[in-house]
Amino acid sequence: MPLALAQLQDIGDRITDRLRPWSRSAEFWVRAADIYTSYKVCQLRAGFVKDEEEREAMWEQQHELGAQKMYSICSELGGLFLKAAQILGKPDLAPMAWVKRLVTLCDNAPATPIDVKYDINFDLYSATKEMEKQICYEFDFVREAKAMERIREFLRVTNKKKPPVIVPRVIPEMVSREVLVMEFIEGTPIMNLGNEMAKRGIDPGGKIATMAKQKILTDLTLAYGQMILKDALLDYGQVKAMPEDLRLAYANLVIAMADDDFLRTKESFREIGIETWSIADNELEELFQLSLRMFDTRLPPGVTAMSPFAEDSSLNKVGVQSFPEELFSVLRTIQLLRGLTVGMGLRFSCAQQWKPIAEEALLNCKIKKAAEKFCQETVFE
């Protein structure tokens, strides 16, 4: 028996050693995405600032923050990531704040004890599987064109009035797997909204601008909500269709978050297929807070950034053992929408916006099941 146990332990150690590089890679990209998002948010916020010196100060602060985060990632993960930081820390490749911080990794890299092995409490295996699929989708323009047409038709059918967003028309005869041609839409990129308002004499921080930004964000959020809770088509390059049972379970979670219902949140996690473990006495509260970080855009007062993988996240008390691959696109979309709310200086909850849509989805499902049951009983009689 001791020999058999030793052999099993050896097999387990080998499997762990093989999976560890994938886990570290996934952690790098998750944390790198957080840095990228913070830069996009800074870009959006800077667009609303008129004073050039103030904008430069914002960017300097962002570079300092980004440099510290990248230093932490590469010094903690070590190996190839440490070498990448050494290459990146060159004046011609990165901002000066990055160079000053990363150059220390060339001759003063932190030592890692031999007996340390660590990980974030999240299902990184599903994340890497989904990432692999989505990268392939990104380069298939025929698939993207079909998705655009499906989204356009869906928004037309489900909105009696004008659809909340415009979907460009695809030019069918000019679409191949390598090329996608669509109609040109005249407009102002959302990242340049602040500058455009200033040019027209509108104070980017005034009441009129706030109302306009609120309207834009509401339209975007409702469009996303309709697609997520109906067909789960989140964007054109990376489209995701939810299975029916997962779609309804997610609708249930949206209502739970909008109503601050801790118990319903836990039940929704189970329905969705998110398996967790907890070391917290207040498990329900921590689970609810984790759900907000992953699936809602609301932020606590005074907070401008909130990631599921931050140091103060509930992931330190509630671990996610299993996470459905289909939901990673939703998680990414939430982070994008949250970045827009912060950049526009708004407080916004997509869960509260989506609640009516979620309730309608669950009601339609109930009516459909009741009708099917009635038909079956009628035929039987």
Side-chain angles (χ1 to χ4, degrees), residues 20-47:
R20 186 173 294 110
W22 291 102
S23 175
R24 291 170 63 246
S25 296
E27 181 177 353
F28 172 82
W29 286 112
V30 166
R31 295 170 67 177
D34 176 61
I35 297 176
Y36 173 79
T37 301
S38 69
Y39 266 90
K40 298 303 288 186
V41 170
C42 182
Q43 181 183 15
L44 182 61
R45 293 178 61 193

Side-chain angles (χ1 to χ4, degrees), residues 55-304:
R55 284 201 303 270
E56 290 181 359
M58 288 176 61
W59 279 113
E60 284 299 321
Q61 183 179 10
Q62 175 59 40
H63 289 325
E64 292 287 347
L65 178 63
Q68 179 56 44
K69 287 186 176 182
M70 183 57 72
Y71 175 89
S72 298
I73 294 175
C74 297
S75 62
E76 290 171 13
L77 296 180
L80 175 63
F81 305 104
L82 190 61
K83 177 59 66 176
Q86 294 170 353
I87 296 174
L88 188 60
K90 301 289 189 296
D92 57 335
L93 292 179
M96 188 52 62
W98 284 54
V99 175
K100 291 180 179 179
R101 195 70 184 96
L102 299 182
V103 74
T104 60
L105 293 175
C106 293
D107 57 0
N108 192 28
T112 302
I114 259 182
D115 56 348
V116 172
K117 293 171 184 170
Y118 56 91
D119 205 347
I120 61 174
N121 300 319
F122 196 82
D123 178 14
L124 296 176
Y125 179 68
S126 295
T128 55
K129 287 178 63 181
E130 180 65 12
M131 191 182 303
E132 180 183 16
K133 289 188 291 186
Q134 292 299 328
I135 289 175
C136 295
Y137 294 159
E138 197 69 46
F139 295 97
D140 188 345
F141 292 127
V142 172
R143 184 179 187 277
E144 181 172 349
K146 291 179 180 178
M148 291 178 65
E149 290 302 304
R150 185 177 178 184
I151 291 171
R152 164 188 284 279
E153 180 64 15
F154 172 79
L155 291 176
R156 185 190 67 79
V157 172
T158 55
N159 290 272
K160 296 179 180 179
K161 298 181 180 180
K162 184 180 178 180
V165 293
I166 298 176
V167 179
R169 293 183 181 277
V170 172
I171 312 300
E173 58 272 17
M174 302 185 72
V175 175
S176 69
R177 186 162 184 171
E178 293 79 22
V179 177
L180 172 59
V181 179
M182 64 192 77
E183 68 170 323
F184 178 76
I185 303 295
E186 186 73 37
T188 300
I190 194 169
M191 302 301 288
N192 300 335
L193 189 58
N195 291 336
E196 190 64 27
M197 287 181 172
K199 289 179 182 178
R200 302 187 182 189
I202 302 174
D203 179 9
K207 291 184 179 180
I208 295 179
T210 300
M211 292 174 61
K213 290 184 284 186
Q214 185 79 24
K215 175 65 167 59
I216 292 172
L217 193 58
T218 298
D219 287 346
L220 285 173
T221 306
L222 288 177
Y224 271 124
Q226 288 179 335
M227 288 185 282
I228 289 172
L229 294 174
K230 298 289 187 178
D231 283 332
L233 306 180
L234 304 178
D235 57 40
Y236 308 137
Q238 298 184 17
V239 175
K240 197 69 184 178
M242 280 190 184
E244 179 71 2
D245 56 345
L246 182 60
R247 179 178 73 89
L248 296 174
Y250 183 74
N252 198 36
L253 176 61
V254 167
I255 297 173
M257 292 188 295
D259 293 343
D260 293 342
D261 191 329
F262 291 9
L263 184 58
R264 187 170 185 174
T265 297
K266 181 177 181 179
E267 294 172 349
S268 298
F269 267 43
R270 185 172 60 251
E271 291 177 4
I272 288 174
I274 301 177
E275 298 179 7
T276 62
W277 58 266
S278 174
I279 58 174
D281 295 331
N282 57 339
E283 177 186 356
L284 288 179
E285 181 179 351
E286 293 292 347
L287 198 64
F288 179 75
Q289 293 301 324
L290 180 60
S291 72
L292 295 185
R293 283 180 180 263
M294 293 195 294
F295 299 117
D296 198 6
T297 55
R298 77 177 80 173
L299 291 171
V303 177
T304 58

